[in-house]
Amino acid sequence: MSASGGTKAIVAALAANLAIAVSKFVAFLFSGSSSMLAESVHSLADSGNQALLLVGGKKAQREATPQHPFGYGRERYIYAFLVSIILFSVGGMFALYEGYEKIKHPHEIDHWYWPVGVLVFAIIAESFSFRTAIKESNTLRGRKSWKEFIRHAKAPELPVVLLEDLGALVGLILALGGVGLALLTGDGVWDGVGTICIGVLLVLIAVVLAIETKSLLLGESAGTEETKRIEAAIVDGETVTGIIHMRTLHLGPEELLVAAKIAVQHDDTAAEIAGAINAAETRIREAVPIARVIYLEPDIYSEAEAAKGADPEATPGGPTQHDPAH
């Protein structure tokens, strides 16, 4: 994975979650707290999720083959989507079921110091993991808000780890609240309520991750700033006088396909057009280094044809548009 910051955040989260999962399960065995069981399964699922992200990053580095000529960059999107499914099913749905059972059949929490001690330890460990994810994300986020970063990021690992760590921290606070209320009131129902809240939280996070990674899997265009740099790099004002239409597509987080029909002069020779295209490709790669695959088709610009508008059948997707959401 070329995004070393993403790898660092994943490894930090994996180490924290493995240690926390073991401690939570031990606390469950001694206390019988359903919140602790839900949280231990949550941490175990998170550990598996981080392992999946690492596997996806490794598989995405494979060289292109005749069967997959554009490479395997989207492996990272596939594994991130699997993470959202696991978080929804193993994490969220299990917690909802366990909370329902606890409310239906409540019992007092034994050895209260076990769950409380483990939850405090887990909050501290998750805080360090969350801090690492925030620090690594800030190097890529720039001036974007956190919402914009999560929605617009082409590399899925950091948004996934950020949301997982945030969910883990909030879940731990909910678990601590549920255990605390159960101890104060002597009513185990509160432990179940805390578990239900954890389940709802995990399901919501999983849905957000699924929506964002689905968009990446379908194929997103380059960002607005990258698109502007590509457009500026294509036109030289001499041989290439304009862009008739252009499409961009992320083949992976660090791989961009650029396809454009460019306007040239009607009296240019084939050699002049070929030279202009080669020069334009060089300028594009200098302006946007992740533009790995570039196809430029020369055409004679016609004001009459341009006035008719783009032909959706001839140019899939219709006129070039920049979706502000992605």
Side-chain angles (χ1 to χ4, degrees):
M1 192 184 311
S2 62
S4 60
T7 304
K8 183 176 180 180
I10 294 170
V11 172
L14 177 60
N17 280 314
L18 284 174
I20 292 169
V22 172
S23 63
K24 286 175 180 176
F25 191 71
V26 171
F28 159 72
L29 292 177
F30 279 93
S31 66
S33 167
S34 66
S35 291
M36 292 309 304
L37 179 59
E39 275 296 309
S40 63
V41 173
H42 173 200
S43 294
L44 190 61
D46 279 355
S47 300
N49 289 341
Q50 276 111 42
L52 283 174
L53 292 177
L54 291 173
V55 171
K58 184 68 176 177
K59 284 182 172 291
Q61 294 176 354
R62 288 180 293 172
E63 296 292 331
T65 64
Q67 187 176 8
H68 298 92
F70 292 113
Y72 293 85
R74 288 195 181 182
E75 289 265 16
R76 289 165 68 177
Y77 300 152
I78 293 171
Y79 280 83
F81 189 73
L82 288 176
V83 165
S84 67
I85 295 174
I86 292 173
L87 191 63
F88 179 88
S89 57
V90 179
M93 298 308 293
F94 176 82
L96 289 173
Y97 170 78
E98 189 63 26
Y100 169 77
E101 286 295 317
K102 184 68 175 185
I103 292 174
K104 191 176 179 181
H105 306 290
H107 63 80
E108 292 186 7
I109 295 176
D110 301 322
H111 306 292
W112 63 269
Y113 42 84
W114 274 101
V116 172
V118 167
L119 286 172
V120 171
F121 162 73
I123 288 173
I124 294 172
E126 283 288 0
S127 296
F128 278 107
S129 174
F130 193 37
R131 178 177 177 272
T132 301
I134 291 174
K135 182 179 178 182
E136 300 302 328
S137 297
N138 278 334
T139 61
L140 300 176
R141 184 169 66 96
R143 296 182 179 180
K144 294 179 182 177
S145 67
W146 286 108
K147 180 181 177 181
E148 290 175 329
F149 174 70
I150 290 172
R151 296 208 64 190
H152 296 180
K154 305 303 181 184
E157 292 83 9
L158 282 173
V160 168
V161 174
L162 276 169
L163 287 177
E164 277 191 349
D165 284 352
L166 176 62
L169 274 175
V170 176
L172 288 167
I173 294 171
L174 291 172
L176 188 60
V179 170
L181 287 171
L183 291 172
L184 289 173
T185 62
D187 188 351
V189 168
W190 287 109
D191 187 27
V193 171
T195 308
I196 291 281
C197 292
I198 293 169
V200 171
L201 172 68
L202 294 181
V203 167
L204 290 175
I205 290 175
V207 169
V208 171
L209 287 177
I211 291 172
E212 296 306 317
T213 52
K214 184 197 76 171
S215 178
L216 293 169
L217 275 172
L218 289 174
E220 291 190 357
S221 63
T224 303
E225 292 302 318
E226 289 176 327
T227 300
K228 289 179 179 179
R229 292 201 299 270
I230 293 171
E231 290 173 342
I234 289 176
V235 179
D236 62 8
E238 297 177 2
T239 304
V240 182
T241 59
I243 299 172
I244 299 173
H245 62 76
M246 184 178 78
R247 301 289 179 269
T248 60
L249 178 70
H250 268 274
L251 302 173
E254 285 91 28
E255 295 175 281
L256 187 65
L257 180 148
V258 178
K261 178 174 282 191
I262 56 176
V264 297
Q265 303 289 350
H266 66 86
D267 55 351
D268 288 334
T269 65
E272 289 173 334
I273 293 173
I277 289 175
N278 290 334
E281 290 178 353
T282 299
R283 292 194 301 271
I284 291 170
R285 291 190 172 95
E286 289 175 352
V288 181
I290 66 171
R292 307 283 177 84
V293 183
I294 303 173
Y295 298 109
L296 300 181
E297 177 188 354
D299 199 355
I300 305 301
Y301 178 77
S302 167
E303 291 186 2
E305 289 298 321
K308 296 178 182 179
D311 181 359
E313 294 183 0
T315 58
T320 302
Q321 295 179 349
H322 304 306
D323 183 356
H326 292 285

